[in-house]
Amino acid sequence: MRIDLHTHSSASDGTDTPADLVREAAAAGLDVVALTDHDAMSGWAEARRAADEVGITLVPGLEISTRYGHRGVHLLGYLPDPTHPALAATLDRILAGRTERTPAIVAALRAEGIDITEDDVHREAGGSVAAGRPHVADALVRLGLVADRTEAFQVLLDPGRPGYVNRWAPALEETIGLVTDAGGVAVIAHPWGRSGGTVLDEEALASLAEAGLAGIEVDHQDHPPEVRARLRGIAADLDLVVTGSSDHHGLGKVDHDLGVNTTDAEQYERLLSLARNPLDG
Ligand code: AMP
Ligand code: FE
Ligand code: FE
Ligand code: ZN
């Protein structure tokens, strides 16, 4: 069984529609794929139809933009009830923060003499409900101002760069509680990746486990081999599920091809057993 538990579609900042993403997952030889768009579940229905057509298993999920102290941390949630009122309200608030941030980023870039408009960004965001920096990056690429998303982030959009603007995010521990209360399971995304740094040390991960965290995304492109080995050890100590995934974004991220990392079948079964909601719900 080949299982990839973290991918993005055009419902957030991936470049494939949900249906195309699922078809590509099947073509890449995956048996199970989770759709985990940023702060959004709007791609689920289309992805489910495509999964039924091509005969692979779709795990509905999302990647929530939370904060730990003042640092941004991504939390994967699998199988939450999309109608859970408190979870839905939190996601609405995050998405509103994203929508409000776009004009602020555009204004900050224009103040730097960059001729970009809100329309340029909206064109790139297309069907996404989660407008984000990647769409601003795509607009800057199209305007010929940078070569790719990576350069856009490095030069203009990363924290400390002139186009960086903060947005509202819910506290991590609280969000773990929301996902769990909604019948889903919470897995910390790429905890020691590029942006995570050392924010979540072993002690922090232990207290998150107390708060209901079910697993750690260990096998991720942002984690070099020694990091994976240490995280695997921590997961074993804390009795947490270990996952692996591509964090695929279509053309939006290089070296994140579908199935580049995968989750062991045993770990996947354990993850499903920890969810209150069934897979075929
Ligand atoms: P946002 O959530 O709108 O603040 O944007 C953060 C998202 O941008 C992350 O989830 C990544 O998908 C993407 N991202 C961050 N850094 C880069 C980069 N250097 N190249 C491409 N995408 C990036
Ligand atoms: Fe992303
Ligand atoms: Fe992430
Ligand atoms: Zn992701």
Side-chain angles (χ1 to χ4, degrees), residues 137-229:
D138 290 346
L140 292 165
V141 172
R142 198 178 294 272
L143 290 166
L145 299 167
V146 293
D148 52 26
R149 279 189 183 181
T150 303
E151 190 187 338
F153 273 86
Q154 281 170 357
V155 178
L156 293 166
L157 301 174
D158 273 335
R161 309 310 301 170
Y164 181 76
V165 177
N166 211 346
R167 60 177 161 74
W168 184 82
L172 174 59
E173 301 91 324
E174 211 172 282
T175 314
I176 290 172
L178 279 179
V179 169
T180 311
D181 196 55
V185 270
V187 171
I188 195 80
H190 46 70
W192 292 356
R194 273 176 322 190
S195 53
T198 53
V199 184
L200 295 172
D201 58 12
E202 183 159 7
E203 203 183 320
L205 289 168
S207 77
L208 296 177
E210 293 287 318
L213 185 73
I216 301 180
E217 185 181 55
V218 171
D219 292 300
H220 183 280
Q221 292 302 77
D222 280 4
H223 294 154
E226 63 277 12
V227 163
R228 297 183 189 204

Side-chain angles (χ1 to χ4, degrees), residues 6 8 38 63 74 189-190 247 253:
H6 181 167
H8 297 266
H38 295 288
E63 183 179 24
H74 287 173
H190 46 70
D247 200 356
K253 248 185 197 177

Side-chain angles (χ1 to χ4, degrees), residues 30-54:
L30 292 169
D31 303 289
V32 178
V33 66
L35 179 64
T36 54
D37 277 306
H38 295 288
D39 311 310
M41 301 180 273
S42 50
W44 288 8
E46 182 185 318
R48 229 182 231 130
R49 283 193 296 275
D52 287 345
E53 273 167 34
V54 296

